Amino acid sequence: MSRIRPFRAGDEAALADICLRTADAGADATGLLEDDALWGDIFVLPYVARHPDLAFVVATDDDRVAGYVVATDDTRAFEDWFGESWWPGRRARFAVPEAADRTRDLLAYADARRAGAEPFGDTHPAHLHIDLLPELQGQGWGRRLIDRALEELRLRGVTGVHLVAAADNTGAAAFYDRLGFVRLPSPPGAQAFALAL
């Protein structure tokens, strides 16, 4: 029986793999960038490095990780830490001359991360990322993961949470709508959602 458990050291490779296999608007992004590791180093691994206590996974019967939610309770502080401490040590690894547009765009996004770069943290200070492998989708695991993360954020006195999805990820958008997230004005190619806690 699958179950939700807290993240633990050693889960990182599985989380990076899930991130990669869902990074293309919910589909597998393997091979879309010059280095597949870029997805995880931006969208999941920094969260478990800084906030392992705000990371939860769905583990299968054999304890294989097949889904996760990661969060930060303070977006501004997290983005400054990402830009000052996390990203500089990894950026050189991804310096790809003649990189394709998609890689260049993702590197530019990571390079620009800092407090205030996205306005959503002003009114909804926490943010999260959630990904599930297809084998778990449509079974309520996404809702349970988000509920678990929101429970922890509420215990910390956080007043609101936001997340950003690819604009063409219609399945994710419908899911967040069902959970009561409100759509926010968003930049091209993205859709931001927020929830008051």
Side-chain angles (χ1 to χ4, degrees):
M1 181 82 158
S2 295
R3 69 198 184 286
I4 293 176
R5 65 162 171 79
F7 163 83
R8 59 187 182 220
D11 290 338
E12 292 89 349
L15 271 59
D17 181 62
I18 295 164
C19 183
L20 170 64
R21 292 170 57 194
T22 57
D24 187 18
D28 193 341
T30 301
L32 293 181
L33 304 176
E34 280 79 1
D35 188 335
D36 287 338
L38 186 56
W39 298 107
D41 271 8
I42 293 175
F43 295 112
V44 68
L45 297 179
Y47 295 86
V48 297
R50 183 161 172 91
H51 294 293
D53 54 329
L54 287 174
F56 302 92
V57 304
V58 179
T60 60
D61 294 343
D62 57 356
D63 208 31
R64 180 176 50 85
V65 176
Y68 65 81
V69 63
V70 294
T72 178
D73 55 0
D74 184 338
T75 293
R76 285 185 163 272
F78 180 87
E79 295 299 328
D80 277 344
W81 170 84
F82 181 95
E84 294 166 8
S85 300
W86 175 266
W87 188 237
R90 285 154 182 80
R91 178 61 171 94
R93 185 173 127 207
F94 298 112
V96 181
E98 311 287 325
D101 288 347
R102 195 159 190 173
T103 296
R104 279 198 318 271
D105 290 348
L106 201 51
L107 289 171
Y109 163 77
D111 291 343
R113 286 180 74 169
R114 67 190 180 290
E118 290 183 353
F120 317 118
D122 293 340
T123 54
H124 298 85
H127 77 266
L128 62 84
H129 292 276
I130 179 171
D131 286 304
L132 295 167
L133 292 178
E135 68 193 77
L136 292 182
Q137 294 173 10
Q139 300 174 40
W141 290 110
R143 177 182 292 273
R144 282 175 264 183
L145 278 171
I146 286 186
D147 285 348
R148 183 64 189 91
L150 297 183
E151 175 187 344
E152 189 61 39
L153 292 170
R154 285 185 182 103
L155 288 172
R156 294 171 184 224
V158 176
T159 57
V161 62
H162 72 276
L163 57 90
V164 180
D168 57 351
N169 193 342
T170 56
F175 170 68
Y176 301 130
D177 289 339
R178 285 193 304 274
L179 292 183
F181 282 79
V182 175
R183 294 181 186 226
L184 300 174
S186 305
Q191 179 58 63
F193 296 84
L195 184 70
L197 300 178

